[in-house]
Amino acid sequence: MNAPLVRGWCPGARRPMRSGDGLILRLRVTGGRLASETARAIADVASRYGNGELDLGRRGGLQLRGIRDSDFAAVETELAALGLLDEDVGAEAVRNVAASPLSDLDETAEGDAFALAKELEAAIVADNFLRALPGKFGFSVDDGGRFGLTEVPADVRLRFVRDGVAVSLDGDGRAIRVQPEEAVAVALRLAGAFLDLVSRIDPPPRRMAALVAQTGAEAIFAAAGLVPESLAPVRGSGSAQMIGAFSTHVGVGLTFGRLIADQLLILADIASSDLRLTPFRAVLLPGVPADALPRLAEAGFVTRPSDPLLAVTACPGAPACGSASVETRELARRLAMLKPHAQGTWLHVSGCEKSCASSAPHAVTLVGRDGGLDLVLDGRPTDPARLTGFSPEAAEALLRSGMIEI
Ligand code: SF4
Protein backbone atom coordinates (compact mmCIF):
# COMPACT_ATOMS: atom_id res chain seq x y z
CA MET A 1 0.00 0.00 0.00
CA ASN A 2 1.25 3.53 -0.77
CA ALA A 3 2.68 5.85 1.84
CA PRO A 4 0.65 9.04 2.26
CA LEU A 5 1.24 11.59 -0.47
CA VAL A 6 0.77 14.99 1.06
CA ARG A 7 0.74 17.95 -1.25
CA GLY A 8 -1.41 20.67 -2.73
CA TRP A 9 -4.84 21.81 -1.63
CA CYS A 10 -7.08 19.29 -3.35
CA PRO A 11 -7.02 16.16 -1.24
CA GLY A 12 -8.40 12.87 -2.46
CA ALA A 13 -8.80 9.45 -0.92
CA ARG A 14 -5.50 8.39 -2.51
CA ARG A 15 -3.80 11.75 -2.07
CA PRO A 16 -4.50 13.09 1.40
CA MET A 17 -3.67 16.55 2.60
CA ARG A 18 -2.08 17.21 5.95
CA SER A 19 -3.92 19.55 8.28
CA GLY A 20 -3.57 20.62 11.90
CA ASP A 21 -5.66 17.65 13.05
CA GLY A 22 -4.10 14.92 10.89
CA LEU A 23 -4.65 13.77 7.31
CA ILE A 24 -7.72 14.82 5.32
CA LEU A 25 -9.08 12.33 2.78
CA ARG A 26 -11.72 13.51 0.34
CA LEU A 27 -14.15 11.01 -1.18
CA ARG A 28 -15.57 11.92 -4.57
CA VAL A 29 -19.01 10.35 -4.53
CA THR A 30 -20.50 10.08 -8.03
CA GLY A 31 -23.57 12.31 -8.26
CA GLY A 32 -23.45 12.66 -4.45
CA ARG A 33 -25.46 9.41 -4.12
CA LEU A 34 -24.40 7.35 -1.14
CA ALA A 35 -26.15 4.08 -0.27
CA SER A 36 -27.09 4.01 3.39
CA GLU A 37 -24.91 0.96 4.09
CA THR A 38 -21.93 2.74 2.50
CA ALA A 39 -22.64 5.81 4.63
CA ARG A 40 -22.62 3.56 7.71
CA ALA A 41 -19.27 2.08 6.72
CA ILE A 42 -17.76 5.53 6.12
CA ALA A 43 -18.94 6.66 9.56
CA ASP A 44 -17.24 3.61 11.03
CA VAL A 45 -13.94 4.35 9.21
CA ALA A 46 -14.10 8.01 10.30
CA SER A 47 -14.54 6.98 13.95
CA ARG A 48 -11.97 4.21 14.07
CA TYR A 49 -9.16 5.86 12.11
CA GLY A 50 -9.91 9.57 12.27
CA ASN A 51 -11.25 12.10 14.72
CA GLY A 52 -14.85 11.27 13.79
CA GLU A 53 -15.35 14.56 11.95
CA LEU A 54 -16.31 14.83 8.28
CA ASP A 55 -16.79 17.84 6.03
CA LEU A 56 -19.11 18.22 3.08
CA GLY A 57 -17.24 20.25 0.49
CA ARG A 58 -18.31 22.87 -2.02
CA ARG A 59 -18.56 20.23 -4.77
CA GLY A 60 -20.33 17.67 -2.62
CA GLY A 61 -17.13 15.73 -1.74
CA LEU A 62 -17.03 14.13 1.71
CA GLN A 63 -13.82 14.65 3.69
CA LEU A 64 -12.66 12.43 6.52
CA ARG A 65 -10.56 14.37 9.00
CA GLY A 66 -7.88 13.59 11.54
CA ILE A 67 -6.70 10.32 9.95
CA ARG A 68 -3.46 9.15 11.54
CA ASP A 69 -0.50 8.58 9.17
CA SER A 70 -0.03 5.09 10.55
CA ASP A 71 -3.64 4.18 9.63
CA PHE A 72 -3.61 5.52 6.09
CA ALA A 73 -2.94 2.11 4.47
CA ALA A 74 -5.74 0.47 6.47
CA VAL A 75 -8.17 3.25 5.50
CA GLU A 76 -7.27 2.81 1.83
CA THR A 77 -7.97 -0.91 2.06
CA GLU A 78 -11.38 -0.32 3.61
CA LEU A 79 -12.33 2.42 1.14
CA ALA A 80 -11.28 0.20 -1.77
CA ALA A 81 -13.55 -2.56 -0.45
CA LEU A 82 -16.41 -0.05 -0.44
CA GLY A 83 -15.71 0.87 -4.08
CA LEU A 84 -14.73 4.41 -3.13
CA LEU A 85 -11.13 4.41 -4.40
CA ASP A 86 -10.10 5.41 -7.90
CA GLU A 87 -7.60 3.26 -9.74
CA ASP A 88 -4.82 5.77 -9.32
CA VAL A 89 -4.05 9.27 -8.09
CA GLY A 90 -4.30 10.77 -11.59
CA ALA A 91 -7.81 9.43 -12.17
CA GLU A 92 -8.96 10.65 -8.78
CA ALA A 93 -7.49 14.11 -9.31
CA VAL A 94 -9.43 14.81 -12.52
CA ARG A 95 -12.74 13.24 -11.45
CA ASN A 96 -14.22 16.51 -10.25
CA VAL A 97 -17.89 16.47 -11.23
CA ALA A 98 -20.72 18.01 -9.20
CA ALA A 99 -24.31 17.08 -10.08
CA SER A 100 -27.83 18.20 -9.17
CA PRO A 101 -28.94 15.89 -6.36
CA LEU A 102 -32.55 14.96 -7.12
CA SER A 103 -33.02 14.80 -10.87
CA ASP A 104 -34.75 11.41 -10.56
CA LEU A 105 -37.46 12.83 -8.26
CA ASP A 106 -37.71 16.54 -9.03
CA GLU A 107 -40.46 17.17 -11.58
CA THR A 108 -38.83 20.47 -12.59
CA ALA A 109 -35.65 18.67 -13.74
CA GLU A 110 -35.09 18.69 -17.50
CA GLY A 111 -32.88 15.59 -17.55
CA ASP A 112 -31.00 12.92 -15.62
CA ALA A 113 -27.99 14.71 -14.12
CA PHE A 114 -26.79 11.59 -12.31
CA ALA A 115 -26.53 9.49 -15.48
CA LEU A 116 -24.78 12.29 -17.35
CA ALA A 117 -22.36 12.92 -14.46
CA LYS A 118 -21.49 9.22 -14.36
CA GLU A 119 -20.85 9.18 -18.10
CA LEU A 120 -18.76 12.35 -17.85
CA GLU A 121 -16.63 10.97 -15.00
CA ALA A 122 -15.89 7.79 -16.95
CA ALA A 123 -14.91 9.77 -20.04
CA ILE A 124 -12.64 12.16 -18.11
CA VAL A 125 -10.83 9.32 -16.37
CA ALA A 126 -10.37 7.44 -19.67
CA ASP A 127 -8.78 10.44 -21.40
CA ASN A 128 -5.06 10.51 -20.57
CA PHE A 129 -4.59 14.00 -22.05
CA LEU A 130 -6.96 15.42 -19.42
CA ARG A 131 -4.74 14.16 -16.58
CA ALA A 132 -2.86 17.44 -17.07
CA LEU A 133 -5.86 19.49 -15.89
CA PRO A 134 -5.09 21.60 -12.78
CA GLY A 135 -6.19 20.05 -9.48
CA LYS A 136 -9.10 22.42 -8.91
CA PHE A 137 -10.47 22.23 -12.46
CA GLY A 138 -13.98 20.82 -12.30
CA PHE A 139 -17.26 20.19 -14.11
CA SER A 140 -20.89 20.53 -13.08
CA VAL A 141 -23.99 18.76 -14.39
CA ASP A 142 -27.12 20.75 -13.67
CA ASP A 143 -30.50 19.10 -14.25
CA GLY A 144 -32.08 22.45 -15.17
CA GLY A 145 -34.59 22.17 -12.32
CA ARG A 146 -34.94 23.91 -8.99
CA PHE A 147 -31.67 22.48 -7.62
CA GLY A 148 -29.48 24.37 -10.08
CA LEU A 149 -25.72 24.54 -9.72
CA THR A 150 -24.93 28.06 -10.93
CA GLU A 151 -23.37 28.92 -7.58
CA VAL A 152 -21.22 25.80 -7.44
CA PRO A 153 -17.62 26.30 -8.62
CA ALA A 154 -17.10 24.63 -12.02
CA ASP A 155 -14.92 25.37 -15.04
CA VAL A 156 -17.07 23.59 -17.62
CA ARG A 157 -20.81 23.55 -16.99
CA LEU A 158 -23.36 21.17 -18.49
CA ARG A 159 -26.99 22.11 -17.97
CA PHE A 160 -30.08 20.33 -19.21
CA VAL A 161 -32.39 22.68 -21.09
CA ARG A 162 -35.74 21.92 -22.69
CA ASP A 163 -34.24 20.77 -25.98
CA GLY A 164 -30.92 19.26 -24.94
CA VAL A 165 -27.86 20.17 -22.90
CA ALA A 166 -26.13 23.56 -22.82
CA VAL A 167 -22.36 23.32 -22.29
CA SER A 168 -20.70 26.54 -21.17
CA LEU A 169 -17.48 27.97 -19.74
CA ASP A 170 -17.10 29.55 -16.34
CA GLY A 171 -16.85 33.29 -16.85
CA ASP A 172 -18.85 33.39 -20.08
CA GLY A 173 -22.60 33.66 -20.73
CA ARG A 174 -22.81 31.59 -23.90
CA ALA A 175 -23.09 27.86 -24.53
CA ILE A 176 -22.96 25.05 -27.03
CA ARG A 177 -26.41 23.49 -27.24
CA VAL A 178 -26.35 19.78 -28.10
CA GLN A 179 -28.30 16.58 -27.62
CA PRO A 180 -27.57 14.80 -24.30
CA GLU A 181 -25.58 12.04 -26.03
CA GLU A 182 -23.18 14.64 -27.46
CA ALA A 183 -22.70 16.67 -24.28
CA VAL A 184 -19.79 14.73 -22.78
CA ALA A 185 -17.76 14.93 -25.99
CA VAL A 186 -18.32 18.70 -26.17
CA ALA A 187 -17.31 19.16 -22.51
CA LEU A 188 -14.12 17.21 -23.11
CA ARG A 189 -13.31 19.24 -26.21
CA LEU A 190 -13.61 22.44 -24.16
CA ALA A 191 -11.40 21.01 -21.40
CA GLY A 192 -8.89 19.97 -24.07
CA ALA A 193 -8.99 23.46 -25.58
CA PHE A 194 -8.24 24.87 -22.13
CA LEU A 195 -5.13 22.70 -21.84
CA ASP A 196 -4.04 23.54 -25.36
CA LEU A 197 -4.31 27.31 -24.80
CA VAL A 198 -2.79 27.46 -21.31
CA SER A 199 0.25 25.53 -22.56
CA ARG A 200 1.10 28.62 -24.62
CA ILE A 201 0.78 31.11 -21.77
CA ASP A 202 3.40 31.80 -19.12
CA PRO A 203 2.42 31.62 -16.33
CA PRO A 204 -0.52 29.41 -17.34
CA PRO A 205 -3.97 30.28 -15.93
CA ARG A 206 -5.20 27.53 -13.58
CA ARG A 207 -8.94 28.00 -13.99
CA MET A 208 -11.30 28.48 -16.93
CA ALA A 209 -12.56 31.87 -15.75
CA ALA A 210 -8.97 33.15 -15.64
CA LEU A 211 -8.35 31.91 -19.19
CA VAL A 212 -11.62 33.48 -20.38
CA ALA A 213 -10.51 36.78 -18.83
CA GLN A 214 -7.13 36.52 -20.52
CA THR A 215 -7.94 35.27 -24.04
CA GLY A 216 -11.70 35.80 -24.31
CA ALA A 217 -14.12 32.89 -24.53
CA GLU A 218 -14.15 33.10 -28.35
CA ALA A 219 -10.58 31.81 -28.48
CA ILE A 220 -11.47 28.80 -26.33
CA PHE A 221 -14.58 27.90 -28.34
CA ALA A 222 -12.57 28.35 -31.55
CA ALA A 223 -9.77 26.10 -30.26
CA ALA A 224 -12.43 23.46 -29.60
CA GLY A 225 -13.92 23.98 -33.07
CA LEU A 226 -17.25 25.10 -31.59
CA VAL A 227 -19.54 28.08 -32.13
CA PRO A 228 -21.51 29.21 -29.05
CA GLU A 229 -24.93 30.82 -28.76
CA SER A 230 -26.25 33.19 -26.11
CA LEU A 231 -28.14 31.72 -23.18
CA ALA A 232 -30.70 33.26 -20.86
CA PRO A 233 -29.15 33.74 -17.39
CA VAL A 234 -30.33 31.31 -14.71
CA ARG A 235 -30.67 31.78 -11.00
CA GLY A 236 -28.80 29.54 -8.61
CA SER A 237 -30.15 27.36 -5.87
CA GLY A 238 -28.93 27.36 -2.28
CA SER A 239 -29.14 25.19 0.78
CA ALA A 240 -32.15 27.05 2.22
CA GLN A 241 -34.27 25.95 -0.75
CA MET A 242 -33.76 22.26 -0.02
CA ILE A 243 -33.97 22.17 3.78
CA GLY A 244 -37.10 20.93 5.54
CA ALA A 245 -39.79 18.52 4.40
CA PHE A 246 -40.86 18.26 0.75
CA SER A 247 -42.93 15.81 -1.26
CA THR A 248 -39.73 14.31 -2.67
CA HIS A 249 -37.38 14.37 0.32
CA VAL A 250 -36.37 15.63 3.71
CA GLY A 251 -33.34 17.93 3.62
CA VAL A 252 -30.99 18.93 6.44
CA GLY A 253 -28.28 21.56 6.61
CA LEU A 254 -24.82 21.03 8.08
CA THR A 255 -23.48 23.99 10.01
CA PHE A 256 -20.28 24.97 8.18
CA GLY A 257 -20.56 21.71 6.24
CA ARG A 258 -19.39 19.74 9.31
CA LEU A 259 -20.78 16.28 9.99
CA ILE A 260 -19.94 14.05 12.96
CA ALA A 261 -19.69 10.28 12.37
CA ASP A 262 -22.61 9.66 14.74
CA GLN A 263 -24.75 12.08 12.71
CA LEU A 264 -23.86 10.21 9.54
CA LEU A 265 -25.08 7.02 11.23
CA ILE A 266 -28.37 8.71 12.08
CA LEU A 267 -28.80 9.82 8.46
CA ALA A 268 -28.07 6.26 7.31
CA ASP A 269 -30.64 4.91 9.78
CA ILE A 270 -33.36 7.32 8.69
CA ALA A 271 -32.66 7.04 4.93
CA SER A 272 -35.14 4.93 3.02
CA SER A 273 -32.60 4.05 0.31
CA ASP A 274 -29.72 6.45 -0.13
CA LEU A 275 -28.36 9.81 0.98
CA ARG A 276 -27.81 12.64 -1.46
CA LEU A 277 -24.77 14.76 -0.66
CA THR A 278 -25.10 18.23 -2.15
CA PRO A 279 -22.63 21.06 -2.83
CA PHE A 280 -24.83 23.27 -0.62
CA ARG A 281 -23.82 22.06 2.86
CA ALA A 282 -27.01 20.00 2.86
CA VAL A 283 -27.84 16.31 2.75
CA LEU A 284 -31.13 15.12 1.26
CA LEU A 285 -32.98 11.94 2.17
CA PRO A 286 -35.27 10.94 -0.73
CA GLY A 287 -38.61 9.45 0.16
CA VAL A 288 -38.31 10.19 3.89
CA PRO A 289 -41.43 11.71 5.50
CA ALA A 290 -41.62 14.97 7.47
CA ASP A 291 -41.93 13.21 10.82
CA ALA A 292 -38.18 12.45 10.68
CA LEU A 293 -37.36 16.14 11.17
CA PRO A 294 -37.59 16.31 15.00
CA ARG A 295 -35.06 13.47 15.37
CA LEU A 296 -32.77 15.15 12.85
CA ALA A 297 -33.05 18.49 14.68
CA GLU A 298 -32.23 16.74 17.96
CA ALA A 299 -29.12 15.24 16.31
CA GLY A 300 -27.85 18.75 15.58
CA PHE A 301 -28.86 19.18 11.94
CA VAL A 302 -30.28 22.43 10.62
CA THR A 303 -33.89 21.66 9.75
CA ARG A 304 -35.35 25.16 9.30
CA PRO A 305 -34.58 27.00 6.04
CA SER A 306 -34.64 30.28 7.97
CA ASP A 307 -31.90 29.22 10.42
CA PRO A 308 -29.36 32.09 10.61
CA LEU A 309 -26.51 29.56 10.62
CA LEU A 310 -27.26 28.90 6.96
CA ALA A 311 -26.39 32.52 6.20
CA VAL A 312 -22.79 32.36 7.43
CA THR A 313 -19.82 30.33 6.33
CA ALA A 314 -16.46 29.65 7.92
CA CYS A 315 -13.53 27.37 7.15
CA PRO A 316 -12.23 25.05 9.90
CA GLY A 317 -9.73 27.69 11.07
CA ALA A 318 -7.43 27.17 14.07
CA PRO A 319 -6.50 24.76 15.50
CA ALA A 320 -7.83 22.27 12.88
CA CYS A 321 -6.00 23.91 9.98
CA GLY A 322 -2.26 24.51 10.18
CA SER A 323 -2.54 27.61 7.96
CA ALA A 324 -4.92 29.39 10.33
CA SER A 325 -3.83 31.66 13.14
CA VAL A 326 -7.38 32.44 14.34
CA GLU A 327 -10.45 30.52 15.46
CA THR A 328 -13.26 30.93 12.93
CA ARG A 329 -16.36 28.86 13.55
CA GLU A 330 -17.34 29.87 17.06
CA LEU A 331 -16.94 33.50 15.99
CA ALA A 332 -19.14 32.91 12.93
CA ARG A 333 -21.75 31.16 15.10
CA ARG A 334 -21.99 34.18 17.40
CA LEU A 335 -22.06 36.67 14.54
CA ALA A 336 -24.77 34.70 12.72
CA MET A 337 -27.25 35.81 15.38
CA LEU A 338 -26.73 39.47 14.38
CA LYS A 339 -28.88 38.83 11.28
CA PRO A 340 -31.64 36.45 12.30
CA HIS A 341 -33.59 36.96 9.07
CA ALA A 342 -30.73 36.99 6.56
CA GLN A 343 -31.45 35.89 3.00
CA GLY A 344 -28.37 34.33 1.44
CA THR A 345 -24.87 34.14 2.86
CA TRP A 346 -23.83 37.51 4.27
CA LEU A 347 -20.76 36.58 6.37
CA HIS A 348 -17.64 34.57 5.64
CA VAL A 349 -14.96 33.98 8.28
CA SER A 350 -11.80 32.64 6.67
CA GLY A 351 -8.77 31.51 8.65
CA CYS A 352 -6.49 32.83 5.91
CA GLU A 353 -6.65 34.29 2.39
CA LYS A 354 -6.97 30.88 0.78
CA SER A 355 -10.75 30.99 1.32
CA CYS A 356 -11.39 27.25 1.22
CA ALA A 357 -14.98 27.68 2.47
CA SER A 358 -16.16 30.19 -0.13
CA SER A 359 -14.67 32.04 -3.08
CA ALA A 360 -17.78 34.20 -3.55
CA PRO A 361 -17.98 37.84 -2.45
CA HIS A 362 -19.96 38.46 0.75
CA ALA A 363 -21.24 41.57 2.51
CA VAL A 364 -18.79 40.95 5.36
CA THR A 365 -15.63 38.84 5.19
CA LEU A 366 -13.22 38.44 8.09
CA VAL A 367 -9.82 37.07 7.15
CA GLY A 368 -7.27 35.75 9.64
CA ARG A 369 -3.76 37.09 9.41
CA ASP A 370 -0.96 36.79 11.99
CA GLY A 371 -3.39 36.11 14.81
CA GLY A 372 -5.68 39.04 13.95
CA LEU A 373 -8.58 39.60 11.56
CA ASP A 374 -8.90 41.84 8.53
CA LEU A 375 -12.31 43.14 7.46
CA VAL A 376 -13.35 43.10 3.80
CA LEU A 377 -16.71 44.62 2.85
CA ASP A 378 -18.61 43.42 -0.25
CA GLY A 379 -15.69 41.34 -1.42
CA ARG A 380 -13.62 38.19 -1.22
CA PRO A 381 -10.85 37.35 1.26
CA THR A 382 -8.25 38.36 -1.34
CA ASP A 383 -9.80 41.82 -1.88
CA PRO A 384 -8.33 44.89 -0.15
CA ALA A 385 -9.31 45.09 3.53
CA ARG A 386 -11.13 48.14 4.88
CA LEU A 387 -9.71 47.59 8.36
CA THR A 388 -6.95 45.30 9.57
CA GLY A 389 -5.51 43.69 12.68
CA PHE A 390 -8.66 43.21 14.80
CA SER A 391 -8.85 40.78 17.66
CA PRO A 392 -11.92 38.49 17.31
CA GLU A 393 -13.53 40.37 20.21
CA ALA A 394 -12.92 43.75 18.55
CA ALA A 395 -14.29 42.51 15.22
CA GLU A 396 -17.40 41.20 16.97
CA ALA A 397 -17.86 44.45 18.89
CA LEU A 398 -17.55 46.47 15.67
CA LEU A 399 -20.21 44.44 13.87
CA ARG A 400 -22.48 44.52 16.91
CA SER A 401 -22.10 48.30 17.20
CA GLY A 402 -24.02 48.93 13.98
CA MET A 403 -21.27 51.26 12.70
CA ILE A 404 -20.96 48.97 9.72
CA GLU A 405 -24.04 48.11 7.73
CA ILE A 406 -24.42 44.36 7.50
S1 SF4 B 1 -8.96 29.14 4.34
FE1 SF4 B 1 -9.14 28.14 6.33
S2 SF4 B 1 -9.09 25.95 5.95
FE2 SF4 B 1 -8.32 26.99 4.11
S3 SF4 B 1 -6.10 27.03 4.38
FE3 SF4 B 1 -6.87 28.96 5.18
S4 SF4 B 1 -7.22 28.60 7.34
FE4 SF4 B 1 -7.00 26.60 6.38
Side-chain angles (χ1 to χ4, degrees):
M1 205 53 74
N2 298 330
L5 285 164
V6 184
R7 55 183 136 104
W9 288 101
C10 282
R14 286 192 170 276
R15 184 177 58 174
M17 181 173 75
R18 189 177 304 288
S19 195
D21 53 0
L23 298 176
I24 296 175
L25 272 69
R26 181 182 294 163
L27 307 176
R28 292 165 167 84
V29 180
T30 300
R33 293 191 187 183
L34 202 56
S36 48
E37 60 270 24
T38 310
R40 236 177 244 117
I42 293 171
D44 181 47
V45 168
S47 304
R48 277 189 292 124
Y49 299 115
N51 61 11
E53 293 178 348
L54 302 103
D55 286 325
L56 188 56
R58 287 193 287 155
R59 289 178 181 165
L62 191 61
Q63 294 184 168
L64 282 69
R65 298 194 70 98
I67 303 290
R68 293 173 290 274
D69 282 45
S70 55
D71 290 332
F72 176 65
V75 172
E76 274 217 317
T77 302
E78 296 204 18
L79 294 178
L82 294 170
L84 291 168
L85 268 199
D86 283 276
E87 262 186 28
D88 54 64
V89 171
E92 174 182 84
V94 292
R95 197 168 59 80
N96 286 322
V97 180
S100 295
L102 275 186
S103 53
D104 53 338
L105 298 174
D106 176 12
E107 76 283 359
T108 66
E110 298 282 357
D112 185 348
F114 177 71
L116 189 56
K118 208 168 159 189
E119 183 190 341
L120 179 60
E121 284 191 355
I124 295 166
V125 167
D127 188 332
N128 278 334
F129 180 59
L130 297 183
R131 299 283 171 108
L133 285 170
K136 294 196 176 197
F137 195 98
F139 301 77
S140 63
V141 182
D142 186 326
D143 64 17
R146 64 194 167 113
F147 300 127
L149 299 183
T150 34
E151 287 161 22
V152 174
D155 297 82
V156 178
R157 299 175 180 279
L158 292 76
R159 181 164 60 88
F160 279 95
V161 289
R162 192 145 298 160
D163 48 357
V165 174
V167 187
S168 60
L169 308 175
D170 192 26
D172 185 64
R174 289 162 302 164
I176 308 298
R177 195 187 300 247
V178 290
Q179 289 307 299
E181 56 275 17
E182 299 164 309
V184 166
V186 167
L188 265 53
R189 276 166 72 179
L190 290 168
F194 170 87
L195 281 175
D196 186 24
L197 289 172
V198 299
S199 70
R200 299 180 223 157
I201 301 173
D202 188 23
R206 307 286 295 163
R207 300 300 300 268
M208 186 65 86
L211 181 64
V212 167
Q214 208 160 335
T215 65
E218 282 303 340
I220 306 166
F221 286 118
L226 299 163
V227 180
E229 60 182 288
S230 294
L231 268 193
V234 283
R235 282 198 58 232
S237 186
S239 56
Q241 292 165 24
M242 50 184 77
I243 287 172
F246 300 84
S247 59
T248 47
H249 70 280
V250 153
V252 292
L254 310 180
T255 306
F256 309 127
R258 175 58 53 88
L259 186 62
I260 306 302
D262 284 350
Q263 289 180 305
L264 186 54
L265 285 176
I266 289 170
L267 290 174
D269 278 350
I270 292 176
S272 60
S273 55
D274 61 5
L275 289 67
R276 306 287 169 90
L277 310 177
T278 77
F280 302 103
R281 296 186 291 162
V283 180
L284 314 185
L285 301 175
V288 167
D291 60 12
L293 281 178
R295 186 177 169 205
L296 290 163
E298 203 176 305
F301 292 106
V302 176
T303 56
R304 286 183 306 116
S306 57
D307 194 311
L309 285 172
L310 293 175
V312 301
T313 180
C315 74
C321 176
S323 300
S325 60
V326 291
E327 193 284 327
T328 51
R329 290 188 166 170
E330 284 312 310
L331 178 62
R333 261 181 203 281
R334 293 195 300 276
L335 294 175
M337 303 310 151
L338 296 179
K339 281 192 87 168
H341 308 296
Q343 301 279 324
T345 310
W346 67 275
L347 171 72
H348 177 198
V349 184
S350 188
C352 77
E353 267 195 4
K354 208 147 205 158
S355 31
C356 299
S358 173
S359 51
H362 299 292
V364 177
T365 301
L366 293 167
V367 191
R369 197 186 322 278
D370 303 329
L373 288 160
D374 294 351
L375 172 73
V376 177
L377 296 178
D378 295 319
R380 300 176 166 83
T382 46
D383 288 335
R386 289 285 185 90
L387 298 163
T388 59
F390 281 98
S391 67
E393 296 74 24
E396 189 173 345
L398 177 71
L399 293 176
R400 282 188 187 283
S401 72
M403 288 168 67
I404 286 181
E405 199 179 326
I406 57 176

